[in-house]
Amino acid sequence: MTWQHLRAFVWLRWRLLANSWQRGGSLNFVLTAIFVVAALVSAVPLFIVSVLVGYNLPPSVTPKHLLYAWDGMAIAFTFFWSVGLLAELQRTEPLSLSKFLHLPVSLRSAFFINYVSSACGLTTILLGPVMVGFALGLTFSRGLAHLAALPLVAAFVLLISAVSYQFQGWLASLMSNPRRRRTVVVGATAVFILIAQLPNLVNFAAPVKGKADRSLKLQEQFDQLNREFMLQQIDAQEHLRRQQEVLAKHNQEDEQAAQAMVQRWERVARLLNWALPIGWLPLGAMSAAEGNIGVSLATFTAMTLLGSASLWRAYGTTIRLYRGEFVAGSVAPGNVVSGPERTAAEVTSPAPAPARKSRVGLLEARLPSLSEPVSVIALAGFRSLLRSPEAKMMLLTPLIMTTIAGGALFRHSHDMPDLARPLPAVGAVLVVLFGMAQLMANQFGFDRDGFRAFVLCAAPRRDILLGKNLGFLPMAGGMAALLIAGIEFFAPLRFDQLLAMLPQFVSMFLLFCLLANLVSIYAPMAISAGSFKRSHVKAVPVFLQMLTFFFAFPLMQLPTFVPLGAELISEGVGWTHGVPIFLPLAAVECGIVVVLYGRVLSWQGRLLQAREQKILESVTKTAA
């Protein structure tokens, strides 16, 4: 690495960053600059507050308490870093090394600039000063021993950023094979979600029953005393005295159980801090507070060595990737089969499989009562959803929300009144639709260059929108049916209420489609292949999408609650009891929504035709 190369790469990185900001337009440049300046400026008050917190900690705070404080900061840093990592699984190099392989320059300089660019993210800018400020505040108030936390923080940031950078490079090598790309994206997302939901899953699988059992025992003892008092076996004074004894014993048992739980969690936390690398920073900081510099030095050395090794392996993987050693179907140099070995390989190669009988494929099918363009667009859209990683990641959102809310529903399903049981089912449909919002609200952005086919085809624009909407119907309906079936298993609905969920879903889905079509027409954004990452972030489309689905989506779905609300109010005030009001009203509302959908869809088709050139310009932009 030479100083001239490093300066040239730094200048090139800044020039590329400035060009990417300016390419989005003047408004996008101004808003991006404001956001960057706001992030940098907000780091200053965060640093000052963390210094004051560390300086003003009361003397009762022990090194054990400091361990928990550092644990919280380390976990927060790792979590938000993982969220950013999940948004960009495959590493995209700001400086593509393939453009420098033929030049007499040091590739390590370009790799170093790329790594520093990835490490200087929003998480580092905001949470890095918090950890540094907390360490300085402890140093000012408790002595120079806490100054050892500063190199530990630096080693921790190196560890997290280097390991994640190596992980991204490894994923990039896997994703060089298109057949494995979708599996890698969905698998990594699912693993992150399962890790984030692990506490909730453990609580759902093995809920804590100790406190509930003690409360039940206390209630039984009080009932026994009340029966003895009613039978005049004890007088009022004895009744009161024994109640106080039972209550005092119950409180003592609660305190003992709480102390035992605290001790158990302390042992688990200490063990995890020793076992997991993200716990080495809190462990070293606590050891420095206790005066054990040896452990602090050991944790610093371990994090530095592990981070450096990850960075070195990431460099090797990157060089091999740009040399084409991971390209699917290629043979590494030195392993080329030739001569007799090649002849043997050709002889032993399997014979070509016999041709299969031709049959009508999915894309050649015809949907009944629909025109040919609608059928083709709907089936092609459905096929692309089945094959795209974006759709698979989209389906994870309802599963996550179901996992979070499923535990409470399972525990309290027997206490739920029959009148309120349709509410979780309707909520499940809302969760499914909201989970699809990011995909359906940018339908043409995920088409990318394929949107040219819609511009050039002679199909009515109304049919294009109708086909697009129908392409999402099997996935939305299947996920909603799966969730409603689970709710029906835990909290069964009345038969008429279960039947009413079909027109209820149709009404909610069609209204959602109208809103998604409108946003897709007015706020299209180019999306990188295989992810939800926007190629060119513009503030106006992002603001429109956020405004639409955080405000317009609930308001547009509000009328669909009228049939269920009418039944709840009618039975609540005693006008009817067991009369199926929800089903007929939902059917009538569904008919009205279908007619409204047809009328509005024609208007949206004309709007699409008027804006298709602007949409094409937006969605066919490639990433910088």
Side-chain angles (χ1 to χ4, degrees):
M1 180 184 299
T2 63
W3 176 247
Q4 291 181 345
H5 293 169
L6 184 61
R7 280 195 309 170
F9 283 128
V10 170
W11 178 87
L12 180 60
R13 176 69 185 99
W14 165 249
R15 188 68 265 169
L16 292 175
L17 182 63
N19 290 343
S20 66
W21 289 356
Q22 294 176 354
R23 196 177 296 115
S26 301
L27 180 61
N28 179 74
F29 178 79
V30 172
L31 293 177
T32 304
I34 292 175
F35 175 77
V36 172
V37 172
L40 295 175
V41 171
S42 62
V44 177
L46 288 175
F47 173 77
I48 296 174
V49 170
S50 60
V51 170
L52 295 177
V53 170
Y55 183 78
N56 293 300
L57 286 180
S60 59
V61 175
T62 63
K64 179 179 64 177
H65 299 141
L66 294 179
L67 173 69
Y68 301 147
W70 282 108
D71 277 334
M73 288 184 284
I75 292 174
F77 186 93
T78 307
F79 175 78
F80 288 109
W81 187 277
S82 302
V83 172
L85 177 65
L86 192 66
E88 187 180 358
L89 283 176
Q90 184 178 1
R91 194 171 71 213
T92 54
E93 306 283 9
L95 301 178
S96 178
L97 298 189
S98 61
K99 301 181 183 300
F100 304 104
L101 289 175
H102 62 285
L103 297 178
V105 297
S106 172
L107 295 181
R108 295 181 182 178
S109 301
F111 176 81
F112 177 75
I113 296 300
N114 288 334
Y115 164 70
V116 172
S117 300
S118 68
C120 296
L122 188 62
T123 303
T124 307
I125 294 174
L126 296 180
L127 295 183
V130 172
M131 294 189 288
V132 173
F134 187 70
L136 291 177
L138 292 175
T139 303
F140 295 150
S141 63
R142 301 196 172 205
L144 295 177
H146 293 275
L147 198 61
L150 292 180
L152 289 172
V153 170
F156 176 77
V157 174
L158 171 65
L159 172 67
I160 298 298
S161 58
V163 170
S164 63
Y165 202 67
Q166 180 192 0
F167 176 71
Q168 286 179 294
W170 175 69
L171 288 182
S173 65
L174 291 180
M175 292 181 183
S176 61
N177 185 344
R179 295 182 179 180
R180 291 182 296 193
R181 178 183 178 87
R182 303 180 184 93
T183 304
V184 170
V185 172
V186 178
T189 307
V191 169
F192 173 78
I193 292 171
L194 288 177
I195 293 175
Q197 294 298 322
L198 188 59
N200 188 65
L201 293 175
V202 172
N203 185 36
F204 173 72
V208 180
K209 297 183 179 180
K211 187 174 182 180
D213 293 340
R214 291 193 300 272
S215 299
L216 182 60
K217 181 180 178 181
L218 177 64
Q219 185 62 39
E220 291 177 352
Q221 291 175 343
F222 276 175
D223 293 342
Q224 179 64 25
L225 290 177
N226 291 333
R227 284 194 297 268
E228 293 179 359
F229 178 72
M230 295 297 295
L231 296 175
Q232 297 182 354
Q233 295 178 358
I234 57 176
D235 56 10
Q237 185 176 1
E238 179 67 14
H239 179 258
L240 180 60
R241 185 187 66 81
R242 292 175 62 177
Q243 275 188 337
Q244 293 175 349
E245 290 180 355
V246 170
L247 186 59
K249 184 178 179 181
H250 173 76
N251 293 335
Q252 184 180 5
E253 291 177 354
D254 280 348
E255 293 178 0
Q256 293 175 354
Q259 293 176 359
M261 181 178 293
V262 169
Q263 294 175 359
R264 182 168 61 253
W265 279 110
E266 287 179 356
R267 292 193 297 268
V268 171
R270 187 66 62 94
L271 179 62
L272 292 178
N273 278 112
W274 279 101
L276 300 179
I278 63 172
W280 292 347
L281 166 62
L283 183 63
M286 184 197 68
S287 301
E290 294 175 342
N292 192 352
I293 303 299
V295 176
S296 301
L297 182 61
T299 54
F300 170 78
T301 305
M303 288 190 292
T304 303
L305 291 178
L306 185 58
S308 302
S310 298
L311 205 57
W312 178 255
R313 287 185 62 86
Y315 175 73
T317 302
T318 302
I319 295 299
R320 293 172 61 197
L321 179 65
Y322 280 107
R323 286 175 178 171
E325 298 182 21
F326 296 105
V327 177
S330 63
V331 182
N335 295 328
V336 179
V337 180
S338 59
E341 296 179 358
R342 181 176 182 179
T343 304
E346 293 175 350
V347 171
T348 57
S349 61
R356 297 181 179 179
K357 295 182 179 180
S358 61
R359 61 177 183 178
V360 178
L362 176 64
L363 300 183
E364 289 80 16
R366 182 73 176 268
L367 297 179
S369 303
L370 294 175
S371 64
E372 184 177 0
V374 174
S375 299
V376 172
I377 295 172
L379 295 175
F382 177 61
R383 180 63 179 270
S384 66
L385 288 177
L386 293 179
R387 303 182 64 179
S388 66
E390 299 93 337
K392 296 181 178 67
M393 288 190 290
M394 175 192 66
L395 292 178
L396 293 174
T397 301
L399 296 179
I400 298 169
M401 300 301 295
T402 305
T403 303
I404 295 174
L409 179 64
F410 174 75
R411 295 188 184 94
H412 302 287
S413 59
H414 300 291
D415 301 331
M416 184 180 299
D418 296 339
L419 193 63
R421 296 200 172 195
L423 289 176
V426 177
V429 178
L430 282 176
V431 169
V432 171
L433 297 181
F434 192 80
M436 300 177 66
Q438 191 174 1
L439 191 57
M440 286 192 65
N442 193 24
Q443 303 173 53
F444 308 123
F446 287 93
D447 289 333
R448 305 175 185 95
D449 289 340
F451 184 72
R452 301 179 189 273
F454 295 128
V455 177
L456 298 175
C457 73
R461 283 8 184 187
R462 180 184 185 277
D463 289 354
I464 294 177
L465 293 176
L466 179 59
K468 281 283 190 178
N469 296 160
L470 292 179
F472 287 98
L473 180 58
M475 191 166 290
M479 182 59 65
L482 181 63
L483 297 183
I484 293 174
I487 294 172
E488 177 69 15
F489 178 78
F490 291 114
L493 285 70
R494 289 201 321 252
F495 183 70
D496 61 286
Q497 294 174 340
L498 184 62
L499 290 179
M501 291 307 303
L502 178 59
Q504 178 75 16
F505 168 77
V506 173
S507 300
M508 298 174 70
F509 178 75
L510 292 182
L511 290 178
F512 175 73
C513 288
L514 292 179
L515 183 61
N517 292 340
L518 199 61
V519 181
S520 299
I521 293 172
Y522 276 108
M525 290 181 288
I527 301 295
S528 301
S531 68
F532 284 113
K533 182 184 177 183
R534 302 173 180 88
S535 298
H536 291 274
V537 180
K538 290 188 176 182
V540 175
V542 173
F543 176 75
L544 285 177
Q545 289 201 1
M546 293 179 60
L547 181 66
T548 300
F549 284 97
F550 282 103
F551 295 98
F553 174 71
L555 292 177
M556 203 161 186
Q557 293 295 326
L558 192 61
T560 62
F561 285 82
V562 171
L564 179 58
E567 183 174 276
L568 294 176
I569 294 175
S570 177
E571 294 198 13
V573 299
W575 293 345
T576 59
H577 181 70
V579 178
I581 299 178
F582 181 26
L583 177 59
L585 289 183
V588 172
E589 184 185 51
C590 180
I592 297 174
V593 170
V594 169
V595 175
L596 177 66
Y597 174 80
R599 299 289 181 86
V600 177
L601 196 65
S602 300
W603 170 75
Q604 289 183 342
R606 295 190 296 270
L607 184 62
L608 173 61
Q609 186 170 7
R611 291 185 52 85
E612 61 183 13
Q613 294 298 328
K614 294 182 179 179
I615 298 174
L616 179 65
E617 181 183 353
S618 299
V619 302
T620 55
K621 289 181 179 179
T622 57

